[in-house]
Amino acid sequence: MELWDLYDRNGNLTGEVWERRHGNYMNIPEGRYHLVSDILVQHRDGSYLLTKRHQGKDLYPGYWEASAGGSAQLGEDPEDCAKRELFEETGILCNSFELVKITFSNRSPSLIYSYLAKVDCDKNSVVLQEGETTEYKWVDAAGLIEYAESELAIKSSVERYKSFYDKVRAQISMNITDMELSHISEYAELFISVFNSEPWNDEWTKETAQIRIENMMKTETFIGKALYADNDLKGLIWGQKKQHYNGTHFHIEEFCVKTPEQNKGFGSALLKALEKALSEIGVDNIYLITSKGEKTEGYYSKRGFVSSENMVLMTKHSFCETEKV
């Protein structure tokens, strides 16, 4: 016997319990929903897991889908459900899930938590759950988009992950290159458009921006990356190598992504490209200075950066004035 908690339209538990039997999901009272977690699985190597639904499933029998998942059991929260369903359907253990979207479905009255799970498992160790799935395969980013745009895709699932698929589409077309002085005017325009806007509200001009970028690029220790997608400049990251007593460090001076193109994965791709380049030349530490807040400090925290407990940023203004005795 499988029991489900029921939720109202605001996502609150009602205290009601539904006994699930084959095909009776449509009999759930109007205004009540059962909890569902679905999980898009991305391997560390960038590939994605597709599974084929069992022919005996209530919904979409025999369809391929780009997610594992199912209904929460009585007393389970969304992440507990996601962890259990992923393991039961694939044999993959994951303890960290990135929430993509929360939606309601009226077709199968459900409150759906859609997650992304990034895993580092043996790709040949997937274990299919009897009665749930019959086949699996790993596909690259292009294969994922090809699936999402095919007639074989479950359209409601594709719609729930639309924002994620948009990021993948954008990343497929991107190209990351070393920054070059011949493109400095283009770099300056992007730099101004980002830092003269929220949350920084700077007052850069084309001239001052170009001077800053050129001064940096002409140093021997400069390393910078530019990201293009569809032949349009989307983002920049640059800084300098610096020798310390305990190794070679790198200071990220500037990092910006065109405002309309943010939250599409370009920033993460730039940061990864820089980290890869630095690791190849033996740089063992990256540091930066940024403003406080979720959009800035929070962004780096989510990507493995931590605030230093031993360092503090200090400034001094008007130091050219004559000190009073």
Side-chain angles (χ1 to χ4, degrees), residues 133-246:
T133 51
T134 58
E135 297 179 51
Y136 77 91
K137 59 184 176 181
W138 295 90
V139 297
D140 61 13
L144 180 69
I145 298 305
E146 181 180 358
Y147 156 78
E149 295 175 349
S150 75
E151 293 301 318
L152 300 175
I154 299 175
K155 301 306 179 186
S156 57
S157 175
V158 172
E159 181 60 29
R160 288 196 297 272
Y161 285 98
K162 182 179 182 303
S163 62
F164 183 80
Y165 287 134
D166 287 345
K167 290 181 182 180
V168 175
R169 288 187 183 91
Q171 291 169 20
I172 289 173
S173 66
M174 73 183 181
N175 178 39
I176 298 177
T177 66
D178 291 333
M179 292 176 64
E180 300 176 359
L181 276 170
S182 59
H183 292 272
I184 193 167
S185 177
E186 184 181 22
Y187 300 157
E189 289 177 359
L190 172 60
F191 183 83
I192 293 169
S193 71
V194 173
F195 289 110
N196 282 9
S197 302
E198 294 287 347
W200 299 276
N201 296 312
D202 294 341
E203 297 180 356
W204 293 95
T205 65
K206 185 70 173 289
E207 179 184 8
T208 56
Q210 287 195 178
I211 290 173
R212 173 164 176 75
I213 298 170
E214 184 175 2
N215 285 346
M216 288 294 302
M217 292 186 70
K218 286 185 175 180
T219 62
E220 293 183 0
T221 56
F222 173 84
I223 296 176
K225 299 290 181 180
L227 185 150
Y228 291 84
D230 298 321
N231 297 315
D232 180 48
L233 179 65
K234 304 296 187 182
L236 298 165
I237 189 168
W238 77 76
Q240 287 182 309
K241 292 186 299 178
K242 297 187 177 183
Q243 185 62 51
H244 286 246
Y245 71 90
N246 59 347

Side-chain angles (χ1 to χ4, degrees), residues 80-144:
D80 287 338
C81 174
K83 183 177 181 180
R84 176 184 54 79
E85 286 285 348
L86 179 61
F87 180 72
E88 289 180 353
E89 293 190 11
T90 67
I92 297 174
L93 278 172
C94 181
N95 294 312
S96 179
F97 297 89
E98 179 184 331
L99 183 62
V100 176
K101 193 174 184 180
I102 302 174
T103 53
F104 283 91
S105 171
N106 290 319
R107 178 175 181 181
S108 169
S110 51
L111 168 60
I112 305 171
Y113 280 69
S114 298
Y115 292 102
L116 174 67
K118 295 183 179 180
V119 302
D120 189 19
C121 61
D122 179 349
K123 293 169 67 174
N124 295 317
S125 67
V126 174
V127 179
L128 298 175
Q129 183 182 12
E130 187 175 351
E132 292 291 334
T133 51
T134 58
E135 297 179 51
Y136 77 91
K137 59 184 176 181
W138 295 90
V139 297
D140 61 13
L144 180 69

